[in-house]
Amino acid sequence: NINLFELARGETNMRPMAMKLALMLFALLLCGCNAVKQSASTPTPVPTPTPSTATVAVGTGPVAVAVNPNTGQIYVVNSNNFSNSNGSVTVIDAATNNTTTEAAGVLPNAVAVNPNTNEIYVTNDYLNGTTGGNVTVIDGVTNNTTTVATGNSPVDVAVNSVTNEIYVVNVFSNSVTVIDGATNNTTTVP
């Protein structure tokens, strides 16, 4: 324990360096240095960003969403409430919230985007109500679509943007369909 009054009068057995430090602290406390008081008691305020939200109408039964960070387009898969009819994809321009709608197959349920090629991949669980399935490929520039056959009941999709390969999980086939993004040719991996 250090008695500050003994320290100020030099009546303590402290080492010279420790004594200098203690005297400096004592002097700061006595003079009421604003910098020390302010930094110790007044934190610098951190600006809080103001969140903004918007409600954008999409199709019936939205089930999945993906974003192309390069174009600012948002893709919402609409299942049509899992009815045995074609679903759709609502394309939202993130800058304006304007929308367009693109056709998808029966029971669409998952979506992935390749930001490098601007291609969007939507899995369609059943092909016209029969066992089977496919992927709707949407060209992000023209919004033209192509259909690629997969195994039975595709339920998820992932994109490797480096290799331009698309991986589709087929639940009833117990397989993965690999789509070559450049040609849309497929290979099945059991």
Side-chain angles (χ1 to χ4, degrees):
N1 292 341
I2 300 174
N3 183 318
L4 294 177
F5 294 106
E6 288 178 2
L7 180 64
R9 290 189 305 259
E11 300 172 358
T12 184
N13 290 334
M14 294 182 69
R15 293 187 182 163
M17 182 56 103
M19 187 171 203
K20 284 182 185 178
L21 288 173
L23 282 172
M24 286 173 31
L25 286 172
F26 181 68
L28 284 172
L29 289 172
L30 285 179
C31 76
C33 180
N34 283 339
V36 171
K37 283 183 179 178
Q38 191 172 21
S39 67
S41 62
T42 308
T44 303
V46 176
T48 304
T50 304
S52 65
T53 60
T55 301
V56 178
V58 296
T60 304
V63 293
V65 63
V67 177
N68 185 333
N70 294 343
T71 65
Q73 300 295 300
I74 303 164
Y75 299 90
V76 179
V77 174
N78 307 300
S79 71
N80 205 12
N81 286 334
F82 296 106
S83 66
N84 196 18
S85 61
N86 286 349
S88 63
V89 177
T90 302
V91 183
I92 305 169
D93 182 329
T96 64
N97 289 335
N98 291 335
T99 64
T100 58
T101 302
E102 302 305 323
V106 176
L107 293 175
N109 55 33
V111 61
V113 174
N114 185 336
N116 295 339
T117 63
N118 198 14
E119 299 283 320
I120 299 83
Y121 299 88
V122 179
T123 57
N124 303 301
D125 196 356
Y126 291 102
L127 186 59
N128 296 324
T130 62
T131 303
N134 59 42
V135 169
T136 300
V137 182
I138 303 171
D139 181 316
V141 175
T142 65
N143 287 333
N144 292 334
T145 62
T146 303
T147 302
V148 178
T150 64
N152 293 342
S153 196
V155 294
D156 205 0
V157 60
V159 170
N160 182 332
S161 60
V162 174
T163 63
N164 196 18
E165 290 181 321
I166 298 81
Y167 303 93
V168 180
V169 176
N170 307 301
V171 71
F172 291 139
S173 298
N174 295 316
S175 65
V176 173
T177 300
V178 181
I179 302 171
D180 179 329
T183 64
N184 287 333
N185 292 333
T186 62
T187 305
T188 300
V189 180

